Amino acid sequence: MVITARALNRSTLARQLLLAREPIDAADAVRRVVALQAQEPASPYLALWNRISGFDPVGLDSAVAGLRVVRSTLMRITLHLVHSEDYRAFREAVEPTLRASRLGDARFTASGLNAADADALLPELLDFADRPRTGAEAQAWLGERRGTPVELPAWRMLRQYAPLWHVPAGGPWSFAPRPSYVAAATRPVLTDPDAVLDSTGPLIRRYLEGFGPASVPDMAQFAMIQRARARKAVQALRDELEELEGPDGTVLFDLPGAPRPDEDTPAPPRLLPMWDSTLLVYADRSRVLPAAYRKLVIRVNGDVLPTLLVDGHVAGVWRSVDAGIEATAFHPLPEEVWEALAAEAGALFAFLADRDPRVYRRYDHWWVKGLPAAETRLLTPA
């Protein structure tokens, strides 16, 4: 079976709840979309606002406070919000990547620590973190345990590697700039190759549920795992998967019965948050993000700007300003699209008013530096 680029786009949008908002619980929605990138605390809230009909942020507050949804360093060595029931398999699957990148980092080894030291320290660290601990408390504990002060960069590498969950701190988006940490309730098995292999299959299945159909390079990009391991996991799942031919002849895999809407299915405009996962989880990001706009949206330092989604593809960026939502289109848009974007912007501006009206304001420098635009409009509430 051959699947077109447009049909691939619609498959992603359907699985990511972006073809139509659905009446679904926040924790269930996080599970449906698999993972929400969360280094900016507001982004998971805005992601779910785009996906849940009548989204009440209190629902996500509650899910986070009750640790049904957890924030931790996972795929692509980045903070994600995931359902707690997915955490262990995801963490075991990314173990080799996290171990090499964090424990092999010069900022860690310069302290005199090595991977073997981390293995010895982790059980005690997790026991220490049986209740919320600030970063300063954990860093001080580590220094006492070592008998010598441990610099902040070394502690940062260790806590990104350790199976720690960020502790909700209230505020507009649940997490503070300097979070506290608690040991994961479901502790993964680390440094065990069998655990890694056993968890790769579930990770691949969950990825396809949220983002398929996809190629082996796409799967590897999602989790930042070696392509050989992703390929091995696919081979082990071969009897459970369908094989398709992508628009450029690429071999794609999918779960039988997974949503694959007709390519002509309408895709309403959306105002996606910073670091929305749909832009980042494919080796070929043109499924949603046109190649011509990639460097405009994904900046040189890794910032991923909030985007306008038009007909299922990125068409520009947006930011919140005092009077409303400023929308910058990279190419001309029909007037009816601007009207639909204005309706979305009015609802978003009202949503932000109770939490953080100038969300993402610390990223305004990207606009100050200038963005190429076919048109920029200030979309104000009706």
Side-chain angles (χ1 to χ4, degrees):
M1 176 181 174
V2 177
I3 186 167
T4 67
R6 190 171 174 85
L8 277 177
N9 171 269
R10 293 318 194 244
S11 295
T12 295
L13 298 184
R15 297 179 205 195
Q16 285 295 300
L17 310 182
L18 289 171
L19 286 181
R21 290 181 170 94
E22 296 193 16
I24 188 173
D25 170 82
D28 292 338
V30 171
R31 186 143 201 184
R32 279 277 294 276
V33 301
V34 181
L36 296 172
Q37 201 154 321
Q39 64 264 53
E40 188 62 44
S43 286
Y45 284 83
L46 272 65
L48 294 185
W49 175 85
N50 275 279
R51 290 162 164 89
I52 296 177
S53 60
F55 174 61
D56 184 348
V58 172
L60 185 54
D61 293 341
S62 176
V64 168
L67 298 181
R68 289 185 295 137
V69 171
V70 297
R71 186 188 194 218
S72 189
T73 302
L74 287 167
M75 288 72 69
R76 301 185 300 284
I77 323 174
T78 302
L79 286 170
H80 280 79
L81 212 64
V82 301
H83 197 284
S84 59
E85 293 179 7
D86 279 328
Y87 173 78
R88 177 173 175 172
F90 288 2
R91 177 61 185 83
E92 288 177 355
V94 300
E95 161 66 11
T97 301
L98 276 178
R99 186 176 182 84
S101 65
R102 303 298 85 175
L103 303 188
D105 192 291
R107 289 168 291 182
F108 183 72
T109 57
S111 68
L113 292 164
N114 57 36
D117 294 323
D119 293 338
L121 287 166
L122 271 182
E124 295 178 59
L125 172 60
L126 296 177
D127 287 342
F128 176 74
D130 63 345
R131 58 183 177 85
R133 302 287 189 174
T134 67
E137 288 174 334
Q139 185 182 353
W141 172 87
L142 183 59
E144 291 174 5
R145 176 65 178 77
R146 289 277 295 165
T148 183
V150 173
E151 296 298 320
L152 179 60
W155 156 242
R156 185 180 296 125
M157 295 300 102
L158 181 61
R159 56 110 168 140
Q160 288 176 2
Y161 173 71
L164 295 169
W165 293 347
H166 288 217
V167 176
W173 311 116
S174 284
F175 295 102
R178 295 180 179 177
S180 295
Y181 307 91
V182 67
T186 50
R187 296 187 185 181
V189 177
L190 305 181
T191 73
D192 181 348
D194 291 335
V196 169
L197 294 174
D198 289 346
S199 61
T200 305
L203 177 74
I204 295 300
R205 281 194 293 268
R206 292 288 290 119
Y207 171 72
L208 292 175
E209 286 175 8
F211 299 101
S215 68
V216 168
D218 291 332
M219 300 172 198
Q221 166 64 26
F222 164 66
M224 198 178 283
I225 62 175
Q226 292 180 342
R227 290 187 181 184
R229 184 150 62 87
R231 188 174 297 109
K232 185 174 182 179
V234 167
Q235 289 298 328
L237 296 171
R238 199 90 188 208
D239 293 341
E240 303 176 31
L241 303 179
E242 291 184 8
E243 188 172 318
L244 301 88
E245 181 181 335
D248 58 356
T250 300
V251 177
L252 304 174
F253 299 92
D254 203 6
L255 300 170
R260 291 201 289 267
D262 185 272
E263 64 177 30
D264 293 326
T265 302
R270 292 287 184 257
L271 302 175
L272 297 183
M274 293 191 75
W275 286 285
D276 194 90
S277 295
T278 53
L279 310 187
L280 300 169
V281 299
Y282 299 106
D284 179 2
R285 297 176 181 177
S286 64
R287 181 182 304 209
V288 176
L289 176 59
Y293 302 154
R294 179 167 174 165
K295 290 184 178 180
L296 301 178
V297 171
I298 303 176
R299 308 305 294 188
V300 292
N301 70 337
D303 286 349
V304 180
L305 302 185
T307 53
L308 309 177
L309 203 66
V310 174
D311 192 28
H313 294 84
V314 170
V317 296
W318 65 268
R319 62 171 173 163
S320 181
V321 295
D322 289 337
I325 301 296
E326 182 186 283
T328 298
F330 296 148
H331 59 257
L333 300 176
E335 194 59 34
E336 61 267 25
V337 171
W338 277 114
E339 291 174 3
L341 285 170
E344 287 288 301
L348 176 59
F349 195 68
F351 171 79
L352 293 173
D354 292 335
R355 296 248 164 175
D356 183 6
R358 286 295 314 280
V359 70
Y360 302 142
R361 56 191 171 276
R362 72 188 186 93
Y363 300 97
D364 279 353
H365 59 90
W366 293 120
W367 280 260
V368 172
K369 291 175 182 177
L371 289 164
E375 184 174 6
T376 296
R377 294 192 185 187
L378 177 62
L379 307 178
T380 57

